[in-house]
């Protein structure tokens, strides 16, 4: 697709998917308009762990993940070092607004018209949800496909004291 149709939506999606699938250990770019207003850039979150969640209101697994993410945000969020950026891929902005009015999620929600055909989806090659990435405080991707239930263990690894993390094994 990239070679034969580089300028098509499928070529862009393929380029994004390759970038996402090979992103672990690398810095990625994510910029967009927040539904709450203002621009959001992943680069502005340097120094914090960031969960990036791609989701839709019609995906039951995605909306169930909001409970897990909400608990993680209460425990680790804000000044404690965790941020969440959700990227909504609904085709209807009204459905998203209705959902957020009811659920009141405390983190940023990015949205662009076009759903799975929007630049927010094609830039990362997102063709299905749920999809979550975990980015470390250094801005590098730790996981390009993490489940909500796995995030806390990864966060604990990030906050483990450095001396403990690099301590050599005991020998006899």
């Amino acid at each position: 697709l990239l070679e034969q149709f580089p300028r098509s939506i499928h070529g862009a999606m393929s380029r994004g998917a390759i970038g996402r699938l090979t992103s672990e250990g690398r810095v990625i770019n994510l910029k967009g308009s927040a539904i709450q207003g203002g621009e959001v850039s992943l680069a502005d979150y340097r120094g914090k762990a960031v969960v990036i969640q791609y989701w839709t209101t019609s995906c039951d697994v995605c909306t169930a993940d909001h409970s897990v993410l909400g608990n993680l945000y209460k425990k680790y969020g804000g000044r404690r070092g965790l941020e969440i950026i959700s990227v909504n891929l609904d085709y209807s902005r009204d459905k998203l607004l209705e959902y957020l009015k009811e659920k009141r999620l405390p983190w940023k929600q990015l949205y662009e018209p076009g759903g799975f055909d929007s630049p927010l989806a094609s830039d990362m090659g997102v063709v299905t949800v749920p999809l979550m990435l975990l980015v470390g405080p250094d801005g590098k991707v730790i996981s390009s496909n993490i489940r909500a239930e796995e995030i806390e263990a990864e966060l604990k690894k990030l906050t483990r004291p450095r001396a403990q993390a690099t301590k050599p094994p005991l020998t006899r």
Side-chain angles (χ1 to χ4, degrees):
L1 285 174
L2 277 176
E3 290 175 13
Q4 294 180 5
F5 306 100
R7 290 188 174 89
S8 72
I9 184 69
H10 302 295
M13 190 70 71
S14 297
R15 187 174 17 270
I18 291 168
R20 176 177 44 81
L21 293 169
T22 61
S23 65
E24 291 182 13
R26 296 187 306 116
V27 174
I28 60 169
N29 292 315
L30 174 65
K31 292 181 184 181
S33 298
I35 198 85
Q36 303 94 329
E39 292 294 311
V40 174
S41 174
L42 178 59
D44 294 339
Y45 291 90
R46 198 60 61 91
K48 294 187 175 198
V50 180
V51 173
I52 302 169
Q53 177 204 32
Y54 290 86
W55 72 289
T56 65
T57 57
S58 62
C59 170
D60 292 338
V61 175
C62 300
T63 57
D65 284 346
H66 288 154
S67 176
V68 175
L69 292 174
N71 289 333
L72 288 172
Y73 194 78
K74 285 177 189 170
K75 192 171 182 179
Y76 299 100
R79 286 182 269 147
R80 292 176 297 260
L82 173 68
E83 293 296 340
I84 300 170
I85 301 171
S86 287
V87 180
N88 180 272
L89 300 177
D90 278 342
Y91 289 94
S92 168
R93 185 176 195 267
D94 293 338
K95 281 186 179 182
L96 171 60
L97 292 173
E98 182 180 314
Y99 180 87
L100 293 176
K101 185 177 180 181
E102 180 185 331
K103 299 298 180 183
R104 300 191 183 274
L105 303 176
W107 54 85
K108 296 290 184 183
Q109 299 286 331
L110 302 186
Y111 178 83
E112 288 181 356
F116 285 91
D117 295 328
S118 71
L120 284 172
S122 65
D123 287 351
M124 293 300 279
V126 179
V127 295
T128 187
V129 290
L131 175 68
M132 284 190 271
L133 292 87
L134 179 62
V135 178
D138 60 358
K140 295 179 181 176
V141 175
I142 293 170
S143 176
S144 62
N145 189 14
I146 193 166
R147 291 189 344 253
E149 304 80 37
E150 300 170 326
I151 295 170
E152 187 166 20
E154 291 299 321
L155 292 174
K156 287 180 179 179
K157 289 179 191 177
L158 291 173
T159 59
R160 186 172 51 198
R162 189 176 187 131
Q164 182 182 358
T166 59
K167 189 175 181 179
L170 296 174
T171 58
R172 295 184 121 194

